[in-house]
Every structure is written in structure tokens, then in C-alpha cells.
Amino acid sequence: MISTAARILNAIDVQVKIMPSIKAFLKMQLIQVEKPYLLLDCLLPPIPQQIYDSVLRFQDTNSFITELENRAAARSIGRPVLPPQHDESNQALRNLFCRLSSEGLNEIVEMQLLAFKPYIFKLKHKAHQEIEEPTTSGNGRIVITRKDVICHEFPLSEKLPRSPQESRATDGILPATASPASDAAVSSLVVSGTAGSPPTGITLVVGGAAQQTTTVSAATSLGEYTMPERNYWQERSAECRKDLEALRVTLKNRYSMLAYSQQSHTERLNTAYPQGWSMNGTMIAHLHEHSESVSKMASLRPYGPIFASGSVDGTVRLWDCNKLNGSQAINKSRQVYSANTPIYSLVACDGGQSLAVGGKDGSLLIMRIDRNSSKMTLQQALHLDECENSDGPVVDMQSYDQSVIIYATVYGAIVGWDTPGSWLATGTSGGKHICWDLRFRLPIAEIKHPSGSRIRKVACHPTEPSYLISAYQANNEVSLWNIETGHRQTVLWASQTPLLSNTQTSETATSCGILSGIVNNSPFLLTGSSDQRIRYWDLNEPKNSALKVPAIKDNLDDISFTYDSQIIDGSQVIFEQKMKLNNTSDINSPSCSMEENPRSGPDMPSSSHHDAITDLLMCKSDKGQIYIASAARDGVIKLWK
């Protein structure tokens, strides 16, 4: 960044503005600041890692910083630098300086640590808060950190119900299990009893290659033996026993993860789309109450008939697809709320009873939906810009299990409200995906696009739980990534540029709306892009892909869209081919047909969008009819079947 700024600014600005700011970090004078490799060579060496770790682990940070300031002041007036006074209060500080000196502490490192003082205090304060306070604060905010890792253990099978006799037996004596064929070696012996009272029996737990449990009666074998009055267990275990226990826990955790993955995969196969469903591109409704671009749409409940739309005009509107059909003369929204700020993000929560809305001014609104009213009720309002340590306005939100809100802010923060989720993926303007494991709050994968193209949309794969779908800024590209391997499995290419080209031109379109589903056990994607087209992609049979809704300028009598696939660099590329049928008209020119006898009355709405498509959504009527809603930048929402 510094070298780029030096290349852009003139020589005077470089010497007056840049050099005074970086002079303290250079070990020699530098003239060609615009060359990064020269700038890096002239930098002072960083603080050694061992010294940095020792300083952060030291408890009394205030006394350490004060001593550094005293030593710097002594050097400035030519006095010799002395170690801290030898007393009880400074003994730990004296030991710290002795250790740091052996690790390479010198005057330069001390000045670097002093310059680092605000950050050191901030890190120590954050670490103290993490120790004193739980990770989840009172308002439900969860911070993703690398600490407080919580592991959960799940049994491989449910416990069998015990009979009253068995319950009484386990209080003092563990019933013997017959195992006449067991001849395993003994590796562990556990003696347990109840404090303060003589046991009715002694339990011997035998473990080895196989396990056998035996009970020795106290009356017949050990006479009048009485346990000492202790409230803890006495246990002696061989190393092989500990290894066996660790292996058992590992296998149980692995089994639970596999079972969870299989359950998730089975749930994904339960699709709302009936057998043989296909979008035929017939427009059902034309909704034009928003005056500016529709930024987001969200269903109140999965596959439900009611959905909401948020717009840059500052309004949130609720629509019921049961009442949006061709028989209605005017299609009106069911409810409306004016937020007085452009709406950039929208998601349903609380089981479809509320909406979370993020505004441009940094407000996060929770609105209660009253089905008996024409307006929404504001339930909670949070202004993120006014909070301490503000992370900035919300740019996107997602929900987990209809009860969890996870949002990303303009400054790159990821905040979860009551998050019990499994994993989270983010896409950046630099073309990078970062996947987080929300159980352990750790980044598990990082995937970067080869050309660094900006990511406009991310979505989950309809059948593969470890796949991620992302739409990019250029070349109308949609890629399917395997999070576990980081490999780009499939690429959907609806551009006339060469396949997998890294060149980005301003004329190419961008897919801003993605909708995934399953029909006939086959996954598919619907994409709506800035070229005003809606495409259907069949991931198993690419040749079945089709253009469902053409652009306003497309004349399908003159051009045709076909789809094919090929393997490039190990990735399946499903690409669109645009072919000219007749030579009488140009492909890019809209068809013009004049009516000899124009009809009276208002013109019917066009069956195509007039502006870029910003979002796609599926809704289902009470009668089981499936509709596809598409929103555009001009504020128009259209319903298709």
C-alpha cells in the first residue's frame, strides 16, 4: 500500500507525507519508496516472537511499560540504564528483563515495544475479558475467537432402560456379565465405594483386548472390609488403558460427525420440488411498489407462501403468493414498514414470526409480524454505529434454523446472535472465501479465486454439505467449491469470453441471484444476472440446462441458447453457447415489430426484466403451486411458474 501510494503521489508529497510516517521503522535511508522489495529490505527487524510472547504472558503490564519508559528517558539524557530495583514488588519484573535480555532484548526492541504499547494493553484487556466473562454476552452477541473451544461427546447408541433391580444393583454392586470365552489380559483395576458406609460389594472393571466385568461379594471374599472415608476415586491405569480410552473417544467423535453428515445429507434430499417440476418462464405477477432497487428477498418460512422484500427506498414489504396471480387486477403488498434508511440486508427469524433488517445507517431492526394488521411492529432496534467498538453497518445476514441471526459488517466483522450452528462461509471483495467452524470458532478453510474476482453471492449446495456456491463479479461466473479440498468442482459459465478466462471487462454480466434445489433426485441452480436473464442449470445433465427468462432485447426467433460441458484443469465447466438462427437481424439488437392496429388501454407489463436481476426466491402457495420470485434493480418483482 505504501509503495503504491508513493507511485501515485509526486516526489514532494512522498518526502513530506510518507517518509515522516515510516522513518521510525526504517534501518537506513530510502529513496525509491515505490519499489516494495527495497522497502521491505530497509525495514527494521520485527519484535522477536519469544520476546513478544513473554511480554503478553507477563501479568503486570503497567509496571513493564513504565520501566521501558524510564529506560528510554535515561538513554535520552545519557544516563546508564539500570535494571529494576531488587525488592519483592519488582522481583518478577527483574526476572522478566533478565529472560528478555537472553532472548535478544536491545534498545531497538524496547522502542518497538513502546510504540506497540496501545496494542499490548488492548490485547491484555481482551484476554482479561475472555477470562472474566463468558464468550456469550447478555445481549446474545458471540465473538468468533480461537479460545473457549467446547467439545461435545455423543454416545454411539442410546442407553437401554434399566429395571429397578439393575438400578439398585448399580448403587453398590455392578451385575456380572457372563463372558466365558473372554481370555483377555488384565490392564486396569478400579476400586470404588460410597464414602462413610461399607460397600455391599466391590466392583472390578477388567479391560484389555476385550472387557469383562465381575463382582466379588464382600461377605464371601473380603470379610469385614470397610472403605476409607474418602470422597474421591482411587485409580491406577496402565498407559495402554489410557491409549484405549483416547482411541474410543476419537472413534465416537468421528462416528458422531459421520452420523451428523449423513443426517444432513438425508435432510437435503427431502426437496420441496415435486417430481418432474420445471420452470417454464410464464410470468404470474408484476409487483412494482418499490421505487428503487430491491436489495434482498427472504421467505418467512422455508418453502412458505409469504416472503418479504427490502429495498434501497427504505421500505420492507410483505407479499403473499396465494394472492398474486393473473386473476388479480392489482397486486398489492400485504404489509409495509418504512425504515427511513436504505435496506441492504434482510432475513427471517423467530420461526417466521419476525424479520431482521439491516440499514445503511448502521441500524439493525427486529420487526414483529402481526398477521391481523397491515403494518409491522418494531420489536427491537440496535444502532451498530453508536455501540462501543462498532463494527459498522450490516452488509449481509443469514439465518440458521430460523432462530439464529449471523451478520457481516462493512468493516469485516462476523457477529452471531445465539449461534449454535455448524459452519459459516464468507466471501470478500478480493475473491477469497473463509470458512469458519462455529462449534470450535476456528477458520477451517480459505479458498481464493484464481483471478481474485469479487464475490457477489454465496450459497449452499443443494445436496453436498461440504460444497460452496459463489457468484463472481466478472464473466457471469458461478463456481462450486469443495471446502474440504479447496478444489473448484464445477463452473457455470454464461459469458462469451474464453472459458475460465481471467480477464475481467466491464461489459460482462454478473449473477447476483442464486437459487438451488433438487428435482427428480438431481440438483439444479437458478441464476439471475445483470444481463436480465434467468437461467436453469442442471448439474447432473448439463445439456438439459436452459434459458428460462430471456432479456428484454432477446428475440428467440433469431437466436438460440444451448448448453454443454467439458473438463478444464480438473473442473467441469458448464457453458452457454449463443447461436444466431437468421442473418436478417443482429443478435444484440432488440426485435422491433409495429402493430398495424394498436390496441386500446394500458400496455401489459413486459414478460422480461428491464434492469439487472438482484435476487431470486422460491415460494409455495397453500395449494402446492411453486412460484419463483425475481427482484430487479428498478424495484420490480416478478412472479414466475
Side-chain angles (χ1 to χ4, degrees):
M1 186 272 290
I2 294 175
S3 298
T4 303
R7 285 195 298 269
I8 296 174
L9 299 175
N10 56 45
I12 297 178
D13 288 336
V14 171
Q15 297 300 323
V16 173
K17 299 178 180 178
I18 295 182
M19 292 306 299
S21 301
I22 67 174
K23 184 178 180 180
F25 304 96
L26 302 178
K27 59 185 177 183
M28 63 183 68
Q29 189 175 3
L30 178 64
I31 298 177
Q32 296 176 312
V33 191
E34 68 277 2
K35 296 184 178 181
Y37 57 91
L38 292 179
L39 180 60
L40 291 175
D41 289 340
C42 292
L43 285 178
L44 290 170
I47 300 174
Q49 184 68 39
Q50 293 180 344
I51 295 180
Y52 176 76
D53 293 338
S54 299
V55 170
L56 290 185
R57 285 196 299 265
F58 189 63
Q59 297 296 327
D60 194 358
T61 307
N62 291 324
S63 62
F64 175 73
I65 296 297
T66 302
E67 181 63 26
L68 287 182
E69 293 173 344
N70 294 336
R71 292 162 70 95
R75 282 192 294 266
S76 64
I77 60 178
R79 291 171 49 190
V81 177
L82 301 176
Q85 297 298 322
H86 184 70
D87 53 40
E88 283 189 15
S89 60
N90 289 331
Q91 181 62 36
L93 185 62
R94 183 185 182 90
N95 295 338
L96 175 64
F97 272 95
C98 292
R99 184 168 66 255
L100 295 182
S101 298
S102 64
E103 294 173 350
L105 182 68
N106 53 32
E107 295 182 6
I108 297 177
V109 177
E110 289 187 17
M111 297 305 296
Q112 289 176 323
L113 289 172
L114 275 179
F116 219 52
K117 179 176 70 172
Y119 190 65
I120 293 177
F121 278 115
K122 185 176 180 180
L123 288 178
K124 296 290 290 185
H125 177 67
K126 182 177 180 181
H128 178 72
Q129 283 186 334
E130 291 178 352
I131 295 175
E132 296 294 334
E133 299 178 0
T135 307
T136 306
S137 60
N139 60 359
R141 175 189 174 101
I142 292 180
V143 181
I144 297 178
T145 63
R146 298 174 181 267
K147 297 184 178 181
D148 299 331
V149 178
I150 302 175
C151 298
H152 302 277
E153 181 177 317
F154 300 92
L156 292 177
S157 60
E158 298 292 336
K159 294 183 179 180
L160 296 177
R162 299 185 301 173
S163 63
Q165 293 79 5
E166 292 175 335
S167 300
R168 289 193 299 269
T170 54
D171 293 337
I173 304 175
L174 190 66
T177 56
S179 181
S182 175
D183 55 356
V186 176
S187 63
S188 178
L189 175 65
V190 179
V191 181
S192 63
T194 305
S197 61
T200 56
I202 295 177
T203 304
L204 301 181
V205 181
V206 181
Q211 291 188 357
Q212 179 179 0
T213 304
T214 323
T215 299
V216 182
S217 173
T220 58
S221 299
L222 299 180
E224 298 297 330
Y225 180 81
T226 304
M227 287 291 293
E229 294 185 0
R230 295 178 182 176
N231 57 356
Y232 58 89
W233 292 59
Q234 293 182 344
E235 179 178 358
R236 295 180 181 179
S237 299
E239 290 298 327
C240 59
R241 175 70 180 183
K242 297 179 180 179
D243 294 341
L244 177 63
E245 181 66 19
L247 178 61
R248 184 181 68 86
V249 173
T250 301
L251 292 178
K252 289 179 67 175
N253 291 336
R254 187 180 302 173
Y255 176 83
S256 63
M257 291 300 298
L258 179 61
Y260 175 80
S261 177
Q262 291 176 348
Q263 179 183 1
S264 176
H265 181 74
T266 304
E267 291 176 352
R268 288 173 180 268
L269 293 179
N270 296 329
T271 173
Y273 298 90
Q275 294 287 331
W277 178 86
S278 177
M279 178 182 174
N280 56 26
T282 303
M283 187 179 69
I284 300 300
H286 177 89
L287 316 175
H288 201 177
E289 291 189 16
H290 288 295
S291 59
E292 295 187 54
S293 174
V294 178
S295 56
K296 187 72 174 179
M297 294 190 298
S299 294
L300 289 191
R301 293 182 180 178
Y303 315 126
I306 302 176
F307 65 95
S309 61
S311 172
V312 180
D313 62 9
T315 62
V316 179
R317 297 181 182 274
L318 210 62
W319 310 87
D320 189 348
C321 71
N322 290 318
K323 300 179 180 179
L324 304 176
N325 53 62
S327 61
Q328 298 289 334
I330 299 177
N331 294 310
K332 296 183 61 177
S333 58
R334 177 173 172 174
Q335 293 180 9
V336 62
Y337 180 84
S338 296
N340 298 322
T341 182
I343 303 300
Y344 284 167
S345 54
L346 177 73
V347 72
C349 58
D350 193 18
Q353 302 297 321
S354 302
L355 279 175
V357 179
K360 181 182 179 180
D361 61 352
S363 60
L364 179 60
L365 309 177
I366 307 296
M367 295 180 299
R368 190 73 175 177
I369 297 175
D370 186 1
R371 301 183 182 274
N372 298 322
S373 174
S374 60
K375 295 184 178 181
M376 306 178 196
T377 304
L378 182 61
Q379 185 176 3
Q380 184 179 359
L382 176 66
H383 292 277
L384 302 180
D385 282 348
E386 299 175 0
C387 299
E388 185 179 358
N389 301 324
S390 171
D391 297 319
V394 176
V395 295
D396 195 14
M397 282 192 295
Q398 294 293 333
S399 64
Y400 177 81
D401 199 22
Q402 286 285 311
S403 60
V404 177
I405 302 173
I406 304 174
Y407 64 84
T409 69
V410 71
Y411 298 137
I414 303 168
V415 183
W417 295 77
D418 299 333
T419 307
S422 55
W423 63 273
L424 169 72
T426 61
T428 69
S429 58
K432 184 181 293 185
H433 293 286
I434 302 177
C435 301
W436 299 81
D437 189 325
L438 295 183
R439 298 165 301 155
F440 305 110
R441 299 164 193 164
L442 294 173
I444 57 176
E446 184 175 302
I447 303 173
K448 184 170 176 45
H449 191 269
S451 64
S453 181
R454 178 181 180 180
I455 300 172
R456 296 301 302 267
K457 193 83 171 182
V458 291
C460 293
H461 194 278
T463 58
E464 298 293 338
S466 61
Y467 281 19
L468 182 68
I469 304 172
S470 58
Y472 294 93
Q473 175 73 29
N475 297 323
N476 219 350
E477 174 192 350
V478 178
S479 294
L480 282 68
W481 298 88
N482 188 332
I483 299 177
E484 297 177 353
T485 63
H487 178 63
R488 185 162 55 170
Q489 299 290 132
T490 307
V491 180
L492 310 182
W493 195 267
S495 173
Q496 300 304 310
T497 57
L499 300 182
L500 299 189
S501 172
N502 289 332
T503 59
Q504 302 181 15
T505 60
S506 58
E507 290 79 12
T508 56
T510 302
S511 295
C512 299
I514 299 178
L515 181 63
S516 62
I518 307 171
V519 172
N520 301 330
N521 296 325
S522 176
F524 72 88
L525 288 182
L526 283 172
T527 60
S529 69
S530 58
D531 60 8
Q532 307 164 18
R533 299 184 178 105
I534 299 179
R535 296 172 175 90
Y536 173 86
W537 304 86
D538 192 323
L539 301 182
N540 287 351
E541 297 293 336
K543 292 187 177 181
N544 293 338
S545 303
L547 178 68
K548 293 298 182 180
V549 178
I552 189 66
K553 63 181 180 179
D554 292 338
N555 185 0
L556 298 184
D557 294 333
D558 296 335
I559 56 175
S560 67
F561 295 84
T562 60
Y563 297 83
D564 206 345
S565 67
Q566 65 182 76
I567 303 298
I568 301 178
D569 296 336
S571 301
Q572 182 190 28
V573 181
I574 305 176
F575 56 92
E576 179 185 77
Q577 293 176 314
K578 188 177 180 181
M579 300 180 62
K580 188 174 181 180
L581 300 179
N582 298 322
N583 296 324
T584 58
S585 62
D586 185 27
I587 292 180
N588 296 322
S589 63
S591 60
C592 300
S593 60
M594 300 297 295
E595 294 181 345
E596 297 180 359
N597 298 318
R599 59 188 177 187
S600 60
D603 294 335
M604 293 298 293
S606 171
S607 59
S608 300
H609 279 287
H610 290 258
D611 208 334
I613 298 174
T614 58
D615 202 5
L616 293 176
L617 177 139
M618 187 274 275
C619 55
K620 193 174 184 179
S621 67
D622 295 337
K623 296 181 180 179
Q625 178 65 50
I626 292 179
Y627 301 107
I628 303 297
S630 59
R633 192 166 52 189
D634 57 2
V636 173
I637 300 175
K638 292 181 180 289
L639 222 61
W640 314 86
K641 71 174 183 179

